[in-house]
Amino acid sequence: MSAPSPKSHEAAAGPLRVLNLCTQFAGLGGVESVVRDHHWNDDAHGLDSRFCVFWEPSQPGWDHARFLDFSDALTIRTARRRFRDGIAGFDPQLVVWHTVWGWPYLDDLAGSSAARVLFLHSDTPGLAAQLATRAWWADGFACVNDRLVQRVRDARPDIAPERIHRVHYPVDPPIPLPSSDREVGDPLVIGFCGRLDFEQKRVDRIPELVEQLGRSGIRFRMEFLGDGPKRGWLQERLTDSSRFVFHGRKSGREYWETLSSWDALFFVSDYEGTPIALLEAMTCGVVPIHPGIGSGGDQYSAQVDPTLVYPAGDIATLASRLVQLSRDGGSIRKLRARSAEVVAGHAAHRYREAMAEFQRRIALLPRLETRPLTGRPFPTDWLSFGAIRRLMDWKRRRGQTVSEAPPSPR
């Protein structure tokens, strides 16, 4: 165990040099949109921010981002070389990990004198076990909901409050917001916004929801905003174009116009952090319905009305909530107004200012006591990520504890 530095980590004059590390950057997810927001806006807040993206191929138009195009076939040795080359010439004062993955493989190359921040965007399966190590590798933590704050405190009880930042994700709608002229709830317009996938998002539950709504006899239209590997699977099962609309990926005013036309937004996820799509939809006055999974999503939904949080995986109850909404237009109007009130504090400028201040604070505070990173015994660096995954799966089947695994590319 190493001792902390006896003096503060000194930041040089001028913008704070920040290295952001993430698995994805240009994709559809909420995490990606937050990281891109930093790419666009950090300079205005005194941060010289650079971005290293592990699992995406090169994307044009991002001057301060380097895409490393990791794959299952890549060896750790080659991945380390790509990472070292990708950050060459940049000497960070602060390293922000937007993922719990990759730290044992790469962090020693990111500058030993820089402070570390772990930005926890989601309460992913196995996070508590991973924080048993990560909490002792970081100097500060940004957490998107209260449960994640508590997980950090459980993993490292001695952490000072000034080293944890409770994040309020940025919402940056156009002014004025688009409005819908149609009669609210006739038919009930239900939206799903996000990645169309089975893992985490559980869109495999949606056909059951449609069946339940069909039996209720209500008039509804279900719209999907986003894309993903299971879009085709859903379209094969939801073929009535008068009731099911697949918008694909939208941006700018088209995105906000689509959100604003919905009565309600629903989630069927197994886990979430604080879905940005939920915050953005609520800003438009959309009623959020979320499973009770201990995330920011159900926390915000409950502030609108506790009945908008349903038991996780209980599709019959979700359908019942939607049926109740469809039969009470006056209730929808009140809930829409309340939704916008609840998220009024998520103005993008507030997020950017608070995050910049937090990052400067962590860079100036003394480095925390740390524990050694997980070792990589020979010949680990000559193995591919895919081979390591198979090895770790084998260890799990034998009952051994595993806290690190490379993700499959999305």
Side-chain angles (χ1 to χ4, degrees), residues 24 80 86 100-101 120 123 128 172 188 193 213 227 237 282 304:
Q24 308 282 324
R80 285 173 59 81
V100 294
W101 177 85
L120 294 171
D123 192 12
D172 197 10
L188 186 73
C193 185
L213 293 176
D227 211 336
R237 287 155 178 80
M282 289 175 65
V304 179

Side-chain angles (χ1 to χ4, degrees), residues 143-153 166-168 273-274 294-296 299 303:
C143 305
V144 304
N145 61 46
D146 295 334
R147 171 174 278 196
L148 291 171
V149 170
Q150 189 58 51
R151 286 206 185 281
V152 170
R153 289 177 173 152
R166 170 59 164 89
V167 172
H168 290 83
T274 297
S295 75
Q299 191 174 37
Q303 289 181 55

Side-chain angles (χ1 to χ4, degrees), residues 117-118 120 134-135 138-143 152 159 163-165 358:
V117 164
L118 178 56
L120 294 171
R134 271 72 168 175
D139 301 287
F141 302 84
C143 305
V152 170
I159 196 77
R163 293 183 182 270
I164 300 179
H165 176 49
F358 172 68

Side-chain angles (χ1 to χ4, degrees), residues 29 49 57 60 64 88 90 100 118 157 187 198 225 228 243 245 318 337 399-400:
S49 294
H64 296 304
F90 187 67
V100 294
L118 178 56
F198 291 168
L225 185 53
R243 287 202 301 162
V245 180
L318 169 58
Q400 298 180 35

Side-chain angles (χ1 to χ4, degrees), residues 297-358:
D298 33 318
Q299 191 174 37
Y300 281 95
S301 297
Q303 289 181 55
V304 179
D305 190 294
T307 65
L308 298 176
V309 179
Y310 68 94
D314 187 347
I315 301 304
T317 299
L318 169 58
S320 175
R321 298 286 189 271
L322 290 167
V323 170
Q324 290 169 12
L325 281 178
S326 74
R327 292 173 176 166
D328 189 352
S331 176
I332 292 178
R333 291 185 184 88
K334 292 176 183 177
L335 292 173
R336 286 176 66 106
R338 176 62 182 156
S339 292
E341 290 173 5
V342 166
V343 295
H346 281 267
H349 71 91
R350 295 184 183 179
Y351 166 84
R352 294 163 189 157
E353 291 166 359
M355 273 300 298
E357 191 280 328
F358 172 68

